[in-house]
């Protein structure tokens, strides 16, 4: 099916958008398609029927690096902003989201949480250390000096050279740390408003081994009663550890001690220099064995596919046949640019390669440790969850809107540079749930019925089954058929003796205030009979009357971006796309995964808006437009 379906507004199932047209189904499509159990088809409906938008990864001034960068906004300001209120940024600029978010995870760094507040105050215990005094003076000077102080703190943290006394004062076991953690819990409880706005208590476990990013965000399903029974896991000795196996032990202990529930989300791995998805052994030298794959599969159901520090789906070297693989790519080195990137590191850093390698490990060890769903996050250190190109407030306070920010490097060493204009205005997570509550949002994340976007709030549904057909998608209630006849994104598709190839029902609707859609693609990965991993990208439905060439390549959708005025037009693309697709290369004997990538038409990057609003020139090397996208959680096929 290679045509966009005319208005699928009913598939929103709870998301209110204007109806501009009506579908006129054929009699055949209506026959036997009534989905309800009573006259009202919506009565007794028990599946997830609404998309709730949020961010799994935001930092406030409680994070040591964020505070040193100059962030003066705390927990309350972050929650107020996310739920749609206007706040004043740390750089004294008013800022507000175009639309409120539905939920938020504030994931401040657990190591030395609250330390930056005392630096800002010039606390005597901090100034007693030469390093503390230097960071304080840099923060007071502001601007580049504050940014340099923050980078210096990050470097000392990653290299394990922080003063031991300071680490002890701001670690679990101290009164200062307990007070800060209780404040985190108390503020999350105050802003949690079931049905309207959800807060999830969490923190970021910041494993940073010699600058190689192995961070995880920990999300608790529970409220204050259970969260207060523990202190967050940290990485600095003597009470912390940088080994993910020890984080899994902390999670196990949390559930055993409190009776609650928790999981971890792996940070996007493009700055881990190959360590995020090990195949043979961890960085510690510990072998990747049955214990490792079992624990990682249990405690890490999700992976961060996109965020401010680069996109993490795939890399052009890993996916040379994928024309859209080189998107917001960060591949110079590790987080603090103390180690240069090499090609052989890439396989241990990106989502698609990890999904493929997970099938190999499952074949070898019996469990797939990389069977993860897809989330998008900001990882902003400004307390502001901004992921829209025309409203981007940067990675840190030093990168908030100004005429200079795109020209100021984010990190620069002798190894290389992450240019200021390379920061990515990304991303958000769409969650399919029944209601906007802490329990419902957490449960949807845990079962992987979620998808990542680079910022736009497009609607995406993805179901896998054995007998979907066009009548299902023409029924005006496709989600009924999706759940009755198949599994949603994040699910497992079993053969059960089925004959023929699996079918997938996919539909997407543009962000109501965003760009039209170019195409929907299905990405398939598998291990062939020779034991080699394979992948293939299928264009399954697209806008307009374009036709693939003899090699199967679909012509580009076009580009309406006007750099001078920082605009684009929706005169190309489609407002919605839908199809039922059947795998033409299916081998029932081989395990496989499938996920969906939805591409928008080209739109301006945030630097174009900066250039227009400040009247400045764009760097010649900078990408000025891009095709924003959504990534569904995969569906796995098992013979």
């Amino acid at each position: 099916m290679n045509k966009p379906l005319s208005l699928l507004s009913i598939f929103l199932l709870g998301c209110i958008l204007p109806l501009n047209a009506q579908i006129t189904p054929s009699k055949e499509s209506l026959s036997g398609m009534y989905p309800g159990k009573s006259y009202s088809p919506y009565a007794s409906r028990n599946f997830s029927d609404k998309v709730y938008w949020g961010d799994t990864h935001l930092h406030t001034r409680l994070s040591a690096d964020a505070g040193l960068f100059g962030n003066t906004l705390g927990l309350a300001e972050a929650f107020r902003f996310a739920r749609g209120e206007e706040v004043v940024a740390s750089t004294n600029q008013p800022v507000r989201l175009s639309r409120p978010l539905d939920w938020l995870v504030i994931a401040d760094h657990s190591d030395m949480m609250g330390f930056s507040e005392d630096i800002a105050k010039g606390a005597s215990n901090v100034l007693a250390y030469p390093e503390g005094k230097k960071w304080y003076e840099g923060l007071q000077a502001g601007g580049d000096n504050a940014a340099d102080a923050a980078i210096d703190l990050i470097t000392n943290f990653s290299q394990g050279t922080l003063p031991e006394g300071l680490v002890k004062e701001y670690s679990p076991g101290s009164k200062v740390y307990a007070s800060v953690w209780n404040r985190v819990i108390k503020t999350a409880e105050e802003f949690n408003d079931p049905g309207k706005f959800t807060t999830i208590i969490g923190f970021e476990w910041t494993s940073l081994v010699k600058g190689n990013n192995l961070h995880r965000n920990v999300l608790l399903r529970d409220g204050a009663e259970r969260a207060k029974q523990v202190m967050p896991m940290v990485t600095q000795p003597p009470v912390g550890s940088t080994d993910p196996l020890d984080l899994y032990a902390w999670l196990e202990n949390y559930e055993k001690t409190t009776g609650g529930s928790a999981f971890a989300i792996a940070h996007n791995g493009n700055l881990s220099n190959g360590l995020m998805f090990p195949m043979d052994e961890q960085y510690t030298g510990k072998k990747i064995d049955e214990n490792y794959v079992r624990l990682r599969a249990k405690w890490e159901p999700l992976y961060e596919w996109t965020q401010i520090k680069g996109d993490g789906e795939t890399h052009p070297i890993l996916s040379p046949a994928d024309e859209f693989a080189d998107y917001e790519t960060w591949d110079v080195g590790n987080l603090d640019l103390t180690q240069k990137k090499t090609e052989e590191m890439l396989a241990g850093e990106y989502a698609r390669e990890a999904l493929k390698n997970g099938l190999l490990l499952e074949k070898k060890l019996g469990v797939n440790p990389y069977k993860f769903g897809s989330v998008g996050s900001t990882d902003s250190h400004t307390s502001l969850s901004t992921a829209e190109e025309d409203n981007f407030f940067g990675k840190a306070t030093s990168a908030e809107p100004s005429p200079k920010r795109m020209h100021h490097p984010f990190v620069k060493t002798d190894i290389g540079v992450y240019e200021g204009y390379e920061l990515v205005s990304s991303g958000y997570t769409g969650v399919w749930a029944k209601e906007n509550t802490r329990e419902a949002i957490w449960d949807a994340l845990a079962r992987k019925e979620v998808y990542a976007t680079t910022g736009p709030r497009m609607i995406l549904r993805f179901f896998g089954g054995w007998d979907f057909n066009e009548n299902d998608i023409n029924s005006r209630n496709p989600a009924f058929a999706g759940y009755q006849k198949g599994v949603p994104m994040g699910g497992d598709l079993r053969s059960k003796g089925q004959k023929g190839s699996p079918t997938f029902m996919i539909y997407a609707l543009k962000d109501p205030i965003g760009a039209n859609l170019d195409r929907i693609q299905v990405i398939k990965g598998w291990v062939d009979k020779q034991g080699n991993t394979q992948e293939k990208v299928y264009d399954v439905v697209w806008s307009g009357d374009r036709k693939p060439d003899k090699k199967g390549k679909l012509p580009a959708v076009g580009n309406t971006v006007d750099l001078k005025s920082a605009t684009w037009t929706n005169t190309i693309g489609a407002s919605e796309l839908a199809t039922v697709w059947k795998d033409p290369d299916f081998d029932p004997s081989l395990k496989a995964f499938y996920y969906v990538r939805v591409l928008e038409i080209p739109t301006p990057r945030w630097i174009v808006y900066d250039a227009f609003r400040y009247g400045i020139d764009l760097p010649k090397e900078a990408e000025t437009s891009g095709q924003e996208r959504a990534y569904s959680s995969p569906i796995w096929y098992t013979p």
Side-chain angles (χ1 to χ4, degrees):
M1 181 179 180
N2 290 325
K3 294 182 180 180
L5 189 69
S6 62
L7 276 172
L8 273 173
S9 54
I10 297 301
F11 79 66
L12 291 174
L13 296 174
C15 296
I16 302 173
L17 290 174
L19 268 171
N20 297 319
Q22 294 288 334
I23 298 172
T24 305
S26 66
K27 291 182 179 180
E28 292 76 15
S29 71
L30 292 172
S31 177
M33 289 302 298
Y34 180 68
K37 297 180 180 179
S38 62
Y39 181 85
S40 172
Y42 310 107
S44 303
R45 184 175 61 190
N46 62 0
F47 56 76
S48 299
D49 58 351
K50 297 180 182 67
V51 175
Y52 296 103
W53 290 99
D55 184 357
T56 63
H57 189 176
L58 179 70
H59 295 267
T60 74
R61 69 185 181 206
L62 290 181
S63 289
D65 52 353
L68 262 181
F69 272 119
N71 184 2
T72 61
L73 304 185
L75 300 161
E77 291 91 344
F79 284 132
R80 286 177 48 225
F81 178 77
R83 71 182 186 185
E85 297 180 36
E86 183 173 307
V87 302
V88 177
S90 299
T91 49
N92 294 316
Q93 303 179 74
V95 56
R96 186 175 185 176
L97 287 173
S98 65
R99 295 151 289 177
L101 293 175
D102 300 303
W103 56 273
L104 178 66
V105 184
I106 292 180
D108 278 310
H109 296 300
S110 56
D111 283 278
M112 305 193 74
M113 190 185 292
F115 173 59
S116 59
E117 287 187 324
D118 285 351
I119 293 178
K121 296 175 186 175
S124 59
N125 66 313
V126 174
L127 298 183
Y129 294 87
E131 296 88 347
K133 185 177 180 182
K134 180 176 68 173
W135 297 328
Y136 168 75
E137 291 173 347
L139 180 60
Q140 294 303 306
D144 292 349
N145 294 291
D148 291 343
I151 294 298
D152 185 63
L153 173 65
I154 293 170
T155 301
N156 278 276
F157 176 82
S158 68
Q159 303 301 320
T161 54
L162 289 173
E164 292 182 12
L166 271 179
V167 171
K168 185 176 181 180
E169 288 188 59
Y170 294 91
S171 292
S174 74
K175 291 183 179 180
V176 171
Y177 196 90
S179 174
V180 173
W181 177 237
N182 284 333
R183 190 174 6 135
V184 169
I185 296 168
K186 182 176 182 292
T187 310
E189 294 294 86
E190 289 173 352
F191 280 87
N192 191 49
D193 189 2
K196 296 181 180 179
F197 182 75
T198 291
T199 67
I200 295 177
I201 299 170
F203 61 89
E204 183 171 7
W205 175 75
T206 316
S207 179
L208 192 61
V209 181
K210 297 187 182 303
N212 300 318
N213 190 317
L214 294 173
H215 302 183
R216 266 77 166 179
N217 293 318
V218 174
L219 278 61
L220 309 183
R221 188 178 188 269
D222 314 296
E225 181 180 354
R226 290 190 170 101
K228 285 184 177 180
Q229 297 179 42
V230 298
M231 289 288 112
M233 174 73 174
V234 296
T235 67
Q236 294 292 299
V239 297
S241 169
T242 58
D243 189 342
L245 290 172
D246 292 323
L247 175 64
Y248 305 151
W250 185 95
L251 292 163
E252 186 84 50
N253 180 68
Y254 172 81
E255 293 197 347
K256 182 179 180 181
T257 301
T258 70
S261 299
F263 62 69
I265 302 174
H267 190 293
N268 73 324
N270 59 327
L271 302 182
S272 72
N273 272 13
L275 300 185
M276 182 57 79
F277 299 111
M279 287 295 289
D280 299 313
E281 63 180 32
Q282 286 186 260
Y283 74 91
T284 59
K286 295 178 182 177
K287 185 180 179 182
I288 302 301
D289 56 13
E290 293 89 343
N291 182 59
Y292 179 91
V293 297
R294 177 182 61 83
L295 290 174
R296 182 151 184 173
K298 178 179 180 180
W299 296 113
E300 294 189 17
L302 300 167
Y303 175 60
E304 190 177 76
W305 289 48
T306 186
Q307 62 132 279
I308 283 174
K309 297 196 298 293
D311 197 71
E313 182 209 7
T314 192
H315 188 281
I317 290 176
L318 300 173
S319 303
D322 183 354
E323 63 179 306
F324 297 101
D326 191 8
Y327 177 74
E328 300 288 8
T329 303
W330 280 37
D331 58 2
V332 177
N334 55 358
L335 177 59
D336 58 3
L337 286 180
T338 55
Q339 183 184 26
K340 192 173 181 62
K341 187 86 66 191
T342 61
E343 285 190 12
E344 54 268 23
M345 294 175 179
L346 297 173
E349 298 190 344
Y350 286 87
R352 189 186 301 176
E353 201 70 14
L355 290 168
K356 292 189 296 182
N357 286 335
L359 297 177
L360 286 177
L361 287 172
E362 183 178 20
K363 187 175 182 180
K364 177 182 178 182
L365 299 172
V367 177
N368 184 348
Y370 307 140
K371 194 174 180 180
F372 49 74
S374 171
V375 299
S377 310
T378 62
D379 193 13
S380 170
H381 282 53
T382 64
S383 303
L384 307 171
S385 289
T386 59
E388 293 172 312
E389 303 289 340
D390 66 348
N391 194 33
F392 181 49
F393 266 64
K395 166 68 176 178
T397 299
S398 57
E400 289 185 4
S402 77
K404 298 180 180 180
R405 66 168 171 169
M406 77 171 78
H407 299 282
H408 189 280
F410 175 64
V411 181
K412 185 176 183 179
T413 70
D414 293 338
I415 298 297
V417 60
Y418 297 127
E419 299 288 359
Y421 57 75
E422 291 182 300
L423 289 170
V424 187
S425 183
S426 187
Y428 287 142
T429 300
V431 171
W432 284 103
K434 297 178 184 179
E435 59 184 4
N436 188 8
T437 63
R438 186 176 283 165
E439 296 77 15
I441 299 296
W442 192 96
D443 290 347
L445 288 163
R447 68 174 180 268
K448 309 168 193 173
E449 198 171 355
V450 297
Y451 60 100
T453 85
T454 55
R457 303 190 198 184
M458 61 186 82
I459 305 298
L460 172 61
R461 281 286 206 182
F462 178 41
F463 294 98
W466 294 99
D467 56 357
F468 288 126
N469 55 59
E470 290 192 15
N471 288 342
D472 295 324
I473 211 162
N474 286 335
S475 69
R476 297 180 54 117
N477 289 294
F480 283 97
Y483 286 103
Q484 289 172 356
K485 298 172 65 173
V487 297
M489 63 179 78
D492 289 283
L493 187 61
R494 303 286 179 175
S495 63
K496 296 181 181 179
Q498 298 282 352
K499 296 182 179 179
S501 300
T503 55
F504 297 90
M505 185 165 61
I506 314 159
Y507 39 99
L509 180 68
K510 69 179 286 291
D511 183 327
I513 63 172
N516 279 344
L517 306 179
D518 168 13
R519 69 187 76 189
I520 295 177
Q521 299 176 309
V522 171
I523 288 83
K524 177 185 177 182
W526 71 99
V527 177
D528 64 23
K529 292 181 179 179
Q530 288 71 45
N532 301 312
T533 60
Q534 304 290 344
E535 66 175 64
K536 189 169 184 178
V537 179
Y538 300 87
D539 291 311
V540 299
V541 62
W542 52 86
S543 63
D545 57 1
R546 293 173 286 165
K547 294 182 180 180
D549 62 20
K550 293 181 180 180
K551 295 183 179 181
K553 183 178 179 180
L554 185 68
V557 69
N559 191 331
T560 67
V561 172
D562 184 336
L563 297 180
K564 291 183 179 180
S565 61
T567 59
W568 85 97
T569 61
N570 272 331
T571 52
I572 57 175
S575 61
E576 55 190 0
L577 296 169
T579 193
V580 171
W581 177 76
K582 189 174 184 177
D583 181 0
D585 305 306
F586 182 65
D587 185 331
S589 67
L590 301 178
K591 291 183 178 181
F593 65 82
Y594 304 81
Y595 70 86
V596 165
R597 182 170 67 188
V598 183
L599 298 175
E600 286 188 345
I601 64 172
T603 51
R605 292 185 74 244
W606 63 269
I607 61 172
V608 177
Y609 294 100
D610 274 24
F612 174 72
R613 292 170 184 173
Y614 292 118
I616 57 178
D617 293 330
L618 288 163
K620 293 181 180 180
E621 304 84 2
E623 292 287 341
T624 54
S625 67
Q627 291 187 252
E628 301 220 54
R629 53 200 65 193
Y631 304 119
S632 78
S633 289
I635 292 174
W636 288 266
Y637 163 73
T638 303

